[in-house]
Amino acid sequence: RQKAAVIRHQCMVMKELIEDLNLTSRLEYSMQALRMEEVHPAAVLREVAAAFLDDAGEGTLEIEMDPDRQAEGIVLMADRQLLVRALRNLFHNSLRHSEQTDTTVIRLGLREEKRFCRILFADNGIGYSDEMLRQLNGRKSRQPTPKYTGPGIVCRIVQAHGGQTVFGNGAQGGSFCEMRFRKRRKKVSYRDRDNTSLQHYTID
């Protein structure tokens, strides 16, 4: 059973790698139609975290949730499936490159900032190399952006939503990723004083 579980896991990894290759190509050439809908990022974070905890061996993964109370009600217009894919790629990357410790620790956060919301992801892994950070953060590099790595795909997905990503290494070790999205805009209608004309305006 243990060997079968390993084989099954490797098959799932290969399947996701192939799907990531196809997804990245479609996003790069604007062939991926975004299925935009109202998404609660707090719920998505909990869903992905719970799925990885269920699959992890006992004591091998620890997840710390730190959502801002005000951020719990944030709503985004986003492709929910792609947002889940971005988070799953970050999880997989952390699990693959965590230090040789018994437990991989991942910290998730959600913050509200005026018209934007920030999804925060950090781990206790080995961190990114300076060259990788230059590529991921769009600075001058001798090598092109790593399109087909987990973090590279995260960049593509967030950019497709008009958002931004920031990658870095923590002062106490490990790495982090910040995904920044614009919050959903609400359309409000009202009538003028004469009750003859219907006006429209948009608020954040």
PDB file of all heavy atoms in Angstrom, residues 184-204:
ATOM      1  N   ARG A 184     -13.387  43.755  -5.560  1.00  0.00           N
ATOM      2  CA  ARG A 184     -14.556  43.905  -6.434  1.00  0.00           C
ATOM      3  C   ARG A 184     -15.148  45.291  -6.274  1.00  0.00           C
ATOM      4  O   ARG A 184     -15.253  45.827  -5.179  1.00  0.00           O
ATOM      5  CB  ARG A 184     -15.615  42.856  -6.082  1.00  0.00           C
ATOM      6  CG  ARG A 184     -16.871  42.954  -6.935  1.00  0.00           C
ATOM      7  CD  ARG A 184     -17.830  41.834  -6.596  1.00  0.00           C
ATOM      8  NE  ARG A 184     -18.336  41.932  -5.244  1.00  0.00           N
ATOM      9  CZ  ARG A 184     -19.428  42.610  -4.909  1.00  0.00           C
ATOM     10  NH1 ARG A 184     -20.110  43.267  -5.821  1.00  0.00           N
ATOM     11  NH2 ARG A 184     -19.836  42.651  -3.657  1.00  0.00           N
ATOM     12  N   ARG A 185     -15.560  45.884  -7.392  1.00  0.00           N
ATOM     13  CA  ARG A 185     -16.196  47.196  -7.380  1.00  0.00           C
ATOM     14  C   ARG A 185     -17.709  47.026  -7.469  1.00  0.00           C
ATOM     15  O   ARG A 185     -18.206  46.226  -8.238  1.00  0.00           O
ATOM     16  CB  ARG A 185     -15.685  48.059  -8.544  1.00  0.00           C
ATOM     17  CG  ARG A 185     -14.198  48.347  -8.440  1.00  0.00           C
ATOM     18  CD  ARG A 185     -13.673  48.984  -9.721  1.00  0.00           C
ATOM     19  NE  ARG A 185     -14.198  50.314  -9.900  1.00  0.00           N
ATOM     20  CZ  ARG A 185     -13.678  51.413  -9.365  1.00  0.00           C
ATOM     21  NH1 ARG A 185     -12.646  51.314  -8.556  1.00  0.00           N
ATOM     22  NH2 ARG A 185     -14.177  52.600  -9.605  1.00  0.00           N
ATOM     23  N   LYS A 186     -18.425  47.780  -6.670  1.00  0.00           N
ATOM     24  CA  LYS A 186     -19.874  47.672  -6.615  1.00  0.00           C
ATOM     25  C   LYS A 186     -20.518  48.808  -7.405  1.00  0.00           C
ATOM     26  O   LYS A 186     -20.129  49.964  -7.289  1.00  0.00           O
ATOM     27  CB  LYS A 186     -20.354  47.738  -5.167  1.00  0.00           C
ATOM     28  CG  LYS A 186     -19.830  46.623  -4.291  1.00  0.00           C
ATOM     29  CD  LYS A 186     -20.339  46.789  -2.876  1.00  0.00           C
ATOM     30  CE  LYS A 186     -19.807  45.677  -1.974  1.00  0.00           C
ATOM     31  NZ  LYS A 186     -20.269  45.843  -0.589  1.00  0.00           N
ATOM     32  N   LYS A 187     -21.512  48.463  -8.183  1.00  0.00           N
ATOM     33  CA  LYS A 187     -22.242  49.461  -8.952  1.00  0.00           C
ATOM     34  C   LYS A 187     -23.514  49.829  -8.204  1.00  0.00           C
ATOM     35  O   LYS A 187     -24.321  48.969  -7.857  1.00  0.00           O
ATOM     36  CB  LYS A 187     -22.589  48.932 -10.344  1.00  0.00           C
ATOM     37  CG  LYS A 187     -23.087  50.015 -11.294  1.00  0.00           C
ATOM     38  CD  LYS A 187     -23.186  49.481 -12.704  1.00  0.00           C
ATOM     39  CE  LYS A 187     -23.577  50.584 -13.672  1.00  0.00           C
ATOM     40  NZ  LYS A 187     -23.664  50.095 -15.059  1.00  0.00           N
ATOM     41  N   VAL A 188     -23.680  51.114  -7.938  1.00  0.00           N
ATOM     42  CA  VAL A 188     -24.808  51.600  -7.162  1.00  0.00           C
ATOM     43  C   VAL A 188     -25.640  52.533  -8.017  1.00  0.00           C
ATOM     44  O   VAL A 188     -25.113  53.353  -8.767  1.00  0.00           O
ATOM     45  CB  VAL A 188     -24.319  52.354  -5.897  1.00  0.00           C
ATOM     46  CG1 VAL A 188     -25.507  52.885  -5.107  1.00  0.00           C
ATOM     47  CG2 VAL A 188     -23.473  51.428  -5.041  1.00  0.00           C
ATOM     48  N   SER A 189     -26.957  52.397  -7.929  1.00  0.00           N
ATOM     49  CA  SER A 189     -27.863  53.245  -8.715  1.00  0.00           C
ATOM     50  C   SER A 189     -28.719  54.083  -7.783  1.00  0.00           C
ATOM     51  O   SER A 189     -29.096  53.649  -6.689  1.00  0.00           O
ATOM     52  CB  SER A 189     -28.764  52.372  -9.602  1.00  0.00           C
ATOM     53  OG  SER A 189     -27.984  51.563 -10.461  1.00  0.00           O
ATOM     54  N   TYR A 190     -29.048  55.284  -8.191  1.00  0.00           N
ATOM     55  CA  TYR A 190     -29.943  56.147  -7.432  1.00  0.00           C
ATOM     56  C   TYR A 190     -30.625  57.118  -8.389  1.00  0.00           C
ATOM     57  O   TYR A 190     -30.156  57.361  -9.501  1.00  0.00           O
ATOM     58  CB  TYR A 190     -29.161  56.920  -6.366  1.00  0.00           C
ATOM     59  CG  TYR A 190     -28.238  57.986  -6.922  1.00  0.00           C
ATOM     60  CD1 TYR A 190     -28.629  59.322  -6.953  1.00  0.00           C
ATOM     61  CD2 TYR A 190     -26.985  57.647  -7.447  1.00  0.00           C
ATOM     62  CE1 TYR A 190     -27.791  60.297  -7.473  1.00  0.00           C
ATOM     63  CE2 TYR A 190     -26.159  58.611  -7.969  1.00  0.00           C
ATOM     64  CZ  TYR A 190     -26.555  59.934  -7.970  1.00  0.00           C
ATOM     65  OH  TYR A 190     -25.727  60.885  -8.490  1.00  0.00           O
ATOM     66  N   ARG A 191     -31.739  57.700  -7.941  1.00  0.00           N
ATOM     67  CA  ARG A 191     -32.465  58.665  -8.762  1.00  0.00           C
ATOM     68  C   ARG A 191     -32.183  60.073  -8.268  1.00  0.00           C
ATOM     69  O   ARG A 191     -31.931  60.295  -7.089  1.00  0.00           O
ATOM     70  CB  ARG A 191     -33.971  58.379  -8.722  1.00  0.00           C
ATOM     71  CG  ARG A 191     -34.343  57.076  -9.409  1.00  0.00           C
ATOM     72  CD  ARG A 191     -35.850  56.919  -9.576  1.00  0.00           C
ATOM     73  NE  ARG A 191     -36.164  55.648 -10.246  1.00  0.00           N
ATOM     74  CZ  ARG A 191     -36.162  55.495 -11.564  1.00  0.00           C
ATOM     75  NH1 ARG A 191     -35.873  56.525 -12.349  1.00  0.00           N
ATOM     76  NH2 ARG A 191     -36.455  54.328 -12.102  1.00  0.00           N
ATOM     77  N   ASP A 192     -32.221  61.022  -9.193  1.00  0.00           N
ATOM     78  CA  ASP A 192     -31.957  62.409  -8.813  1.00  0.00           C
ATOM     79  C   ASP A 192     -33.150  62.961  -8.034  1.00  0.00           C
ATOM     80  O   ASP A 192     -34.164  62.296  -7.817  1.00  0.00           O
ATOM     81  CB  ASP A 192     -31.658  63.257 -10.055  1.00  0.00           C
ATOM     82  CG  ASP A 192     -32.800  63.233 -11.053  1.00  0.00           C
ATOM     83  OD1 ASP A 192     -33.912  62.853 -10.671  1.00  0.00           O
ATOM     84  OD2 ASP A 192     -32.566  63.593 -12.219  1.00  0.00           O
ATOM     85  N   ARG A 193     -33.056  64.235  -7.618  1.00  0.00           N
ATOM     86  CA  ARG A 193     -34.071  64.831  -6.758  1.00  0.00           C
ATOM     87  C   ARG A 193     -35.447  64.864  -7.422  1.00  0.00           C
ATOM     88  O   ARG A 193     -36.471  64.760  -6.759  1.00  0.00           O
ATOM     89  CB  ARG A 193     -33.644  66.248  -6.366  1.00  0.00           C
ATOM     90  CG  ARG A 193     -32.423  66.267  -5.439  1.00  0.00           C
ATOM     91  CD  ARG A 193     -32.076  67.689  -5.051  1.00  0.00           C
ATOM     92  NE  ARG A 193     -30.934  67.716  -4.142  1.00  0.00           N
ATOM     93  CZ  ARG A 193     -30.412  68.838  -3.671  1.00  0.00           C
ATOM     94  NH1 ARG A 193     -30.927  70.016  -4.014  1.00  0.00           N
ATOM     95  NH2 ARG A 193     -29.382  68.796  -2.850  1.00  0.00           N
ATOM     96  N   ASP A 194     -35.475  65.013  -8.726  1.00  0.00           N
ATOM     97  CA  ASP A 194     -36.751  65.064  -9.436  1.00  0.00           C
ATOM     98  C   ASP A 194     -37.312  63.673  -9.708  1.00  0.00           C
ATOM     99  O   ASP A 194     -38.412  63.539 -10.253  1.00  0.00           O
ATOM    100  CB  ASP A 194     -36.599  65.821 -10.769  1.00  0.00           C
ATOM    101  CG  ASP A 194     -36.194  67.268 -10.540  1.00  0.00           C
ATOM    102  OD1 ASP A 194     -36.572  67.810  -9.472  1.00  0.00           O
ATOM    103  OD2 ASP A 194     -35.507  67.831 -11.397  1.00  0.00           O
ATOM    104  N   ASN A 195     -36.541  62.634  -9.342  1.00  0.00           N
ATOM    105  CA  ASN A 195     -36.964  61.248  -9.538  1.00  0.00           C
ATOM    106  C   ASN A 195     -37.252  60.939 -11.008  1.00  0.00           C
ATOM    107  O   ASN A 195     -38.117  60.168 -11.349  1.00  0.00           O
ATOM    108  CB  ASN A 195     -38.210  60.930  -8.703  1.00  0.00           C
ATOM    109  CG  ASN A 195     -38.375  59.428  -8.494  1.00  0.00           C
ATOM    110  OD1 ASN A 195     -37.382  58.704  -8.381  1.00  0.00           O
ATOM    111  ND2 ASN A 195     -39.611  58.969  -8.449  1.00  0.00           N
ATOM    112  N   THR A 196     -36.502  61.609 -11.883  1.00  0.00           N
ATOM    113  CA  THR A 196     -36.740  61.424 -13.315  1.00  0.00           C
ATOM    114  C   THR A 196     -35.588  60.721 -14.016  1.00  0.00           C
ATOM    115  O   THR A 196     -35.771  60.164 -15.090  1.00  0.00           O
ATOM    116  CB  THR A 196     -36.952  62.789 -14.000  1.00  0.00           C
ATOM    117  OG1 THR A 196     -35.800  63.615 -13.762  1.00  0.00           O
ATOM    118  CG2 THR A 196     -38.203  63.467 -13.449  1.00  0.00           C
ATOM    119  N   SER A 197     -34.419  60.763 -13.416  1.00  0.00           N
ATOM    120  CA  SER A 197     -33.247  60.210 -14.089  1.00  0.00           C
ATOM    121  C   SER A 197     -32.529  59.245 -13.173  1.00  0.00           C
ATOM    122  O   SER A 197     -32.266  59.557 -12.001  1.00  0.00           O
ATOM    123  CB  SER A 197     -32.298  61.338 -14.520  1.00  0.00           C
ATOM    124  OG  SER A 197     -31.141  60.806 -15.118  1.00  0.00           O
ATOM    125  N   LEU A 198     -32.194  58.067 -13.688  1.00  0.00           N
ATOM    126  CA  LEU A 198     -31.481  57.059 -12.912  1.00  0.00           C
ATOM    127  C   LEU A 198     -29.989  57.235 -13.132  1.00  0.00           C
ATOM    128  O   LEU A 198     -29.504  57.180 -14.262  1.00  0.00           O
ATOM    129  CB  LEU A 198     -31.912  55.663 -13.348  1.00  0.00           C
ATOM    130  CG  LEU A 198     -31.419  54.493 -12.493  1.00  0.00           C
ATOM    131  CD1 LEU A 198     -32.013  54.585 -11.097  1.00  0.00           C
ATOM    132  CD2 LEU A 198     -31.806  53.165 -13.140  1.00  0.00           C
ATOM    133  N   GLN A 199     -29.265  57.500 -12.068  1.00  0.00           N
ATOM    134  CA  GLN A 199     -27.815  57.744 -12.150  1.00  0.00           C
ATOM    135  C   GLN A 199     -27.068  56.499 -11.665  1.00  0.00           C
ATOM    136  O   GLN A 199     -27.576  55.699 -10.882  1.00  0.00           O
ATOM    137  CB  GLN A 199     -27.445  58.945 -11.282  1.00  0.00           C
ATOM    138  CG  GLN A 199     -28.237  60.213 -11.577  1.00  0.00           C
ATOM    139  CD  GLN A 199     -27.929  60.761 -12.953  1.00  0.00           C
ATOM    140  OE1 GLN A 199     -26.808  60.599 -13.462  1.00  0.00           O
ATOM    141  NE2 GLN A 199     -28.909  61.400 -13.563  1.00  0.00           N
ATOM    142  N   HIS A 200     -25.845  56.354 -12.129  1.00  0.00           N
ATOM    143  CA  HIS A 200     -25.014  55.221 -11.746  1.00  0.00           C
ATOM    144  C   HIS A 200     -23.621  55.726 -11.330  1.00  0.00           C
ATOM    145  O   HIS A 200     -23.110  56.658 -11.923  1.00  0.00           O
ATOM    146  CB  HIS A 200     -24.811  54.229 -12.904  1.00  0.00           C
ATOM    147  CG  HIS A 200     -26.099  53.691 -13.450  1.00  0.00           C
ATOM    148  ND1 HIS A 200     -26.780  52.646 -12.880  1.00  0.00           N
ATOM    149  CD2 HIS A 200     -26.833  54.083 -14.516  1.00  0.00           C
ATOM    150  CE1 HIS A 200     -27.882  52.392 -13.593  1.00  0.00           C
ATOM    151  NE2 HIS A 200     -27.938  53.256 -14.581  1.00  0.00           N
ATOM    152  N   TYR A 201     -23.077  55.123 -10.300  1.00  0.00           N
ATOM    153  CA  TYR A 201     -21.680  55.392  -9.967  1.00  0.00           C
ATOM    154  C   TYR A 201     -21.099  54.154  -9.316  1.00  0.00           C
ATOM    155  O   TYR A 201     -21.815  53.241  -8.922  1.00  0.00           O
ATOM    156  CB  TYR A 201     -21.528  56.603  -9.055  1.00  0.00           C
ATOM    157  CG  TYR A 201     -22.124  56.448  -7.669  1.00  0.00           C
ATOM    158  CD1 TYR A 201     -21.304  56.114  -6.589  1.00  0.00           C
ATOM    159  CD2 TYR A 201     -23.487  56.602  -7.428  1.00  0.00           C
ATOM    160  CE1 TYR A 201     -21.819  55.968  -5.326  1.00  0.00           C
ATOM    161  CE2 TYR A 201     -24.005  56.450  -6.160  1.00  0.00           C
ATOM    162  CZ  TYR A 201     -23.164  56.140  -5.116  1.00  0.00           C
ATOM    163  OH  TYR A 201     -23.689  55.988  -3.865  1.00  0.00           O
ATOM    164  N   THR A 202     -19.792  54.122  -9.223  1.00  0.00           N
ATOM    165  CA  THR A 202     -19.111  52.937  -8.731  1.00  0.00           C
ATOM    166  C   THR A 202     -18.324  53.267  -7.476  1.00  0.00           C
ATOM    167  O   THR A 202     -17.671  54.297  -7.396  1.00  0.00           O
ATOM    168  CB  THR A 202     -18.119  52.395  -9.802  1.00  0.00           C
ATOM    169  OG1 THR A 202     -18.842  52.144 -11.007  1.00  0.00           O
ATOM    170  CG2 THR A 202     -17.470  51.112  -9.329  1.00  0.00           C
ATOM    171  N   ILE A 203     -18.424  52.395  -6.471  1.00  0.00           N
ATOM    172  CA  ILE A 203     -17.672  52.578  -5.236  1.00  0.00           C
ATOM    173  C   ILE A 203     -16.843  51.351  -4.988  1.00  0.00           C
ATOM    174  O   ILE A 203     -17.089  50.265  -5.525  1.00  0.00           O
ATOM    175  CB  ILE A 203     -18.600  52.820  -4.027  1.00  0.00           C
ATOM    176  CG1 ILE A 203     -19.511  51.597  -3.815  1.00  0.00           C
ATOM    177  CG2 ILE A 203     -19.432  54.064  -4.207  1.00  0.00           C
ATOM    178  CD1 ILE A 203     -20.355  51.690  -2.568  1.00  0.00           C
ATOM    179  N   ASP A 204     -15.810  51.486  -4.133  1.00  0.00           N
ATOM    180  CA  ASP A 204     -14.948  50.347  -3.777  1.00  0.00           C
ATOM    181  C   ASP A 204     -15.466  49.740  -2.487  1.00  0.00           C
ATOM    182  O   ASP A 204     -15.904  50.437  -1.595  1.00  0.00           O
ATOM    183  CB  ASP A 204     -13.506  50.809  -3.605  1.00  0.00           C
ATOM    184  CG  ASP A 204     -12.923  51.274  -4.937  1.00  0.00           C
ATOM    185  OD1 ASP A 204     -13.110  50.565  -5.923  1.00  0.00           O
ATOM    186  OD2 ASP A 204     -12.311  52.361  -4.967  1.00  0.00           O
TER     187      ASP A 204
END
